[in-house]
Amino acid sequence: MFKGNPRQPGHLSFENIQFMIDNDRIERLETASSASEVNIMDEWIITYLSSDQVTGLCHEIDMLESLGLIEIKPGGEIRLAPGWQKLCPHMILNEMRDSWGKDIHNLHCIHASIRSLSKYWECIEGEGWRSSSGGEDLAFEDDEYEMRRQIFSENFLNYVDETLGVGHFVARGLWRCSSRN
């Protein structure tokens, strides 16, 4: 489940990718009228940086497309899909509520079209989310999400323990014991 994905919880693996690609390279990629005109090295660098081994960006794009949140145009342009607001999973809504939705100065640099998501959903504190377009039924329940998040976290920690070995397991166990006191 986690193998090959370099991302870690709490890390922003895409944050500095903009500094790895200079403006000349971007201009060459944007102005090329055919694949034969694009410098192979430019394409290779973009492919490498977006790979699962480096940032996992391609995986993220694949997942967003499979959820129906984005669409990829024939020329490669990525756009929000029509009706994407209604397809947002629980974790994105929670992220909006807990993090970037409270960011009045937009320090997270979230595009205005994504920030508009709050108009489509209503959070019922302690219960979950429902569509703001009507209906009393919850679309997402917090209890179910919390259970899934806990299972995911435990699976991830078990994967890390298996990957890093007993030393990490013992250190993590000692940390857990010391944090209880």
Side-chain angles (χ1 to χ4, degrees):
M1 173 187 252
F2 306 103
K3 188 175 181 178
N5 192 331
R7 290 176 289 123
Q8 300 284 325
H11 291 104
L12 305 173
S13 59
F14 309 141
E15 188 175 54
N16 294 321
I17 198 168
Q18 64 181 334
F19 301 114
M20 297 181 200
I21 305 170
D22 60 15
N23 290 335
D24 292 338
R25 185 174 321 266
I26 292 171
E27 187 176 330
R28 284 192 304 269
L29 289 165
E30 288 178 339
T31 59
S33 60
S34 69
S36 62
E37 289 184 24
V38 176
N39 182 335
I40 296 297
M41 191 59 128
D42 291 340
E43 281 195 11
W44 183 86
I45 287 174
I46 299 297
T47 303
Y48 175 72
L49 290 175
S50 63
S51 70
D52 286 347
Q53 290 74 30
V54 179
T55 62
L57 182 59
C58 277
H59 183 308
E60 289 293 322
I61 291 171
D62 286 343
M63 293 307 299
L64 291 171
E65 184 181 29
S66 70
L67 289 170
L69 298 176
I70 63 171
E71 60 185 8
I72 301 173
K73 301 289 185 177
E77 183 180 8
I78 299 172
R79 292 239 175 225
L80 289 170
W84 67 274
Q85 302 92 338
K86 295 177 183 175
L87 301 173
C88 277
H90 200 158
M91 66 180 180
I92 291 177
L93 297 174
N94 284 351
E95 188 75 20
M96 174 182 65
R97 179 192 65 207
D98 299 336
S99 180
W100 55 266
K102 296 178 178 179
D103 181 10
I104 59 172
H105 300 294
N106 200 17
L107 299 175
H108 289 91
C109 300
I110 304 294
H111 193 273
S113 59
I114 294 173
R115 291 180 74 81
S116 72
L117 181 62
S118 62
K119 297 175 188 172
Y120 295 88
W121 291 94
E122 179 182 4
C123 180
I124 311 301
E125 200 61 41
E127 293 183 34
W129 291 89
R130 72 174 171 209
S131 173
S132 61
S133 63
E136 293 296 317
D137 294 338
L138 292 174
F140 301 109
E141 294 184 21
D142 284 343
D143 291 340
E144 180 182 343
Y145 175 79
E146 192 56 37
M147 181 183 68
R148 288 179 184 222
R149 188 194 62 75
Q150 186 176 4
I151 290 169
F152 177 85
S153 296
E154 288 175 12
N155 288 340
F156 181 76
L157 288 174
N158 289 337
Y159 168 77
V160 169
D161 288 341
E162 289 176 14
T163 304
L164 298 178
V166 175
H168 179 73
F169 176 75
V170 170
R172 190 179 65 156
L174 292 174
W175 176 80
R176 282 186 179 167
C177 290
S178 66
S179 65
R180 290 181 188 157
N181 297 332

